Amino acid sequence: MKWAADNCQPQYLLKTDDDCFISTRFLTEFLSEHNSIKTGLYAGSVFNEREVIRNRLSKWYVSTQDFPRSVYPRYASGTGYIVSGDVLQGIVGAASQEKAFPVEDAYTGVLASKIGASLVDTGRFTMYSNKWRVCNYLYFLVIHGVTPEQQYLALKYTDDALEKCPGQSPSTTW
């Protein structure tokens, strides 16, 4: 995030996992033509008041020294989230004042909360790569749990949705 803030100064930044399909066609179109939130944007699939995991055997373990509270503030799943450039700059600034801990998405949520960024909970970032119908691809921006083999198929479905879903068009809201 610091590198992007320092070197790219993007209008928006998408953070996503490597096992996600990104609908680049609809994402870029949505952000440039339909998104009404140009600043103060922090959007994704939201976790509400998740307990901090204190079990040392968990990959999501966080010690009380790293994060003393027992519950995280609301945050967007690391599956994928978008921040506007001003939120990115704020998060990078806040990171210099807040001790890092190893749960990236929760840490980002702590920083976003610290700078007062409001969180948009959207189903357009789905945690599951279920067998979606072709027309669902007019809605999703990020789909988690997509294998390399499924990436091609998801891209094909995105293209197919434009012609196989008569009367429907890509979603224009969060």
Side-chain angles (χ1 to χ4, degrees):
M1 286 187 171
K2 181 169 178 12
W3 181 89
D6 291 347
N7 297 288
C8 303
Q9 299 173 352
Q11 184 174 1
Y12 302 102
L13 179 89
L14 169 68
K15 182 277 171 192
T16 187
D17 287 347
D18 62 358
D19 64 342
C20 291
F21 170 74
I22 310 304
S23 179
T24 53
R25 165 184 280 160
F26 297 141
L27 176 64
T28 54
E29 178 183 311
F30 174 75
L31 288 174
S32 65
E33 297 177 23
H34 304 291
N35 175 38
S36 61
I37 309 170
K38 305 296 183 193
T39 61
L41 178 64
Y42 173 35
S45 178
V46 173
F47 291 132
N48 290 304
E49 298 183 358
R50 289 190 102 177
E51 284 190 38
V52 179
I53 296 174
R54 304 294 187 197
N55 179 345
R56 294 180 188 271
L57 300 177
S58 172
K59 75 177 194 175
W60 295 287
Y61 166 75
V62 173
S63 71
T64 55
Q65 291 77 26
D66 286 341
F67 189 74
R69 296 185 301 221
S70 61
V71 176
Y72 295 118
R74 295 175 74 229
Y75 67 94
S77 164
T79 293
Y81 51 84
I82 291 178
V83 295
S84 56
D86 63 311
V87 171
L88 174 64
Q89 292 290 342
I91 285 172
V92 168
S96 66
Q97 301 165 7
E98 185 76 31
K99 183 176 181 176
F101 55 87
V103 182
E104 158 269 321
D105 50 0
Y107 179 65
T108 299
V110 167
L111 298 175
S113 175
K114 187 172 185 163
I115 64 167
S118 58
L119 183 51
V120 176
D121 188 4
T122 177
R124 299 196 73 179
F125 292 72
T126 183
M127 305 280 280
Y128 309 101
S129 62
N130 293 343
K131 296 183 181 191
W132 301 109
R133 295 176 340 177
V134 169
C135 295
N136 292 126
Y137 286 81
L138 292 170
Y139 177 73
F140 292 128
L141 297 175
V142 176
I143 302 173
H144 180 249
V146 178
T147 67
E149 297 77 24
Q150 293 170 324
Q151 290 282 345
Y152 172 79
L153 199 53
L155 181 60
K156 181 180 180 329
Y157 289 164
T158 300
D159 291 338
D160 289 351
L162 291 169
E163 65 183 63
K164 293 185 177 179
C165 303
Q168 296 184 45
S169 58
S171 183
T172 60
T173 62
W174 280 109

